[in-house]
Amino acid sequence: MQFLVLSRRRTDQFSNADFERLVPSEGAQARHLYSIGFTRQIWHRGDVPGACQVVEAKDEGEVHETLATLPLARAGMLDFEIVPLKPYAGFSLLLSPSVPRRLWREASWLGQPTVTYYG
């Protein structure tokens, strides 16, 4: 199962020097989590100090357990928001033969060229 993880550095409680001390080991552990397939994609956040990542785990408990291996998390320097993700079914429904052909012709709401099906 995939999860969206938003982390935020607790800059109100820790100094830049506190974070800088752990950044090298944090980066090494982040690379390790990517190499084992836990982290699928990762970005720096543009709104606050922290990261956004898509991770793969069997359940939310495993996500918490694995994130706890990050040095900044172990030090209590990060807050996490974890969002379970589900597959998006909209495209498969739109292209299904059981969908009324009228909807196929009116598919321009997707922001794509209109799909025409005369089957």
Side-chain angles (χ1 to χ4, degrees), residues 101 104-105 116-119:
R101 289 181 176 89
W104 288 47
R105 289 189 300 274
T116 305
Y117 174 75
Y118 298 105

Side-chain angles (χ1 to χ4, degrees), residues 18-49:
D18 293 330
F19 287 103
E20 289 172 12
R21 183 175 56 82
L22 292 175
V23 164
S25 55
E26 182 81 3
Q29 182 62 8
R31 280 189 300 279
H32 172 70
L33 296 180
Y34 184 83
S35 74
I36 64 170
F38 172 76
T39 300
R40 299 298 184 163
Q41 297 180 33
I42 188 167
W43 305 267
H44 286 288
R45 290 181 61 166
D47 56 345
V48 297

Side-chain angles (χ1 to χ4, degrees), residues 2-119:
Q2 292 189 324
F3 298 83
L4 177 68
V5 177
L6 295 171
S7 65
R8 185 186 63 79
R9 287 184 177 192
R10 299 178 77 193
T11 56
D12 56 328
Q13 297 178 12
F14 297 94
S15 70
N16 285 338
D18 293 330
F19 287 103
E20 289 172 12
R21 183 175 56 82
L22 292 175
V23 164
S25 55
E26 182 81 3
Q29 182 62 8
R31 280 189 300 279
H32 172 70
L33 296 180
Y34 184 83
S35 74
I36 64 170
F38 172 76
T39 300
R40 299 298 184 163
Q41 297 180 33
I42 188 167
W43 305 267
H44 286 288
R45 290 181 61 166
D47 56 345
V48 297
C52 174
Q53 57 185 315
V54 174
V55 303
E56 186 88 30
K58 68 179 181 200
D59 56 33
E60 194 168 333
E62 184 180 354
V63 175
H64 283 283
E65 183 179 302
T66 305
L67 291 173
T69 68
L70 293 165
L72 292 176
R74 277 198 311 264
M77 299 169 77
L78 295 176
D79 287 326
F80 293 104
E81 181 179 350
I82 300 170
V83 180
L85 302 175
K86 299 187 314 184
Y88 179 72
F91 296 132
S92 63
L93 292 174
L94 178 66
L95 300 176
S96 169
S98 64
V99 172
R101 289 181 176 89
R102 172 185 59 80
L103 292 179
W104 288 47
R105 289 189 300 274
E106 297 173 2
S108 61
W109 59 269
L110 285 173
Q112 301 294 324
T114 303
V115 176
T116 305
Y117 174 75
Y118 298 105

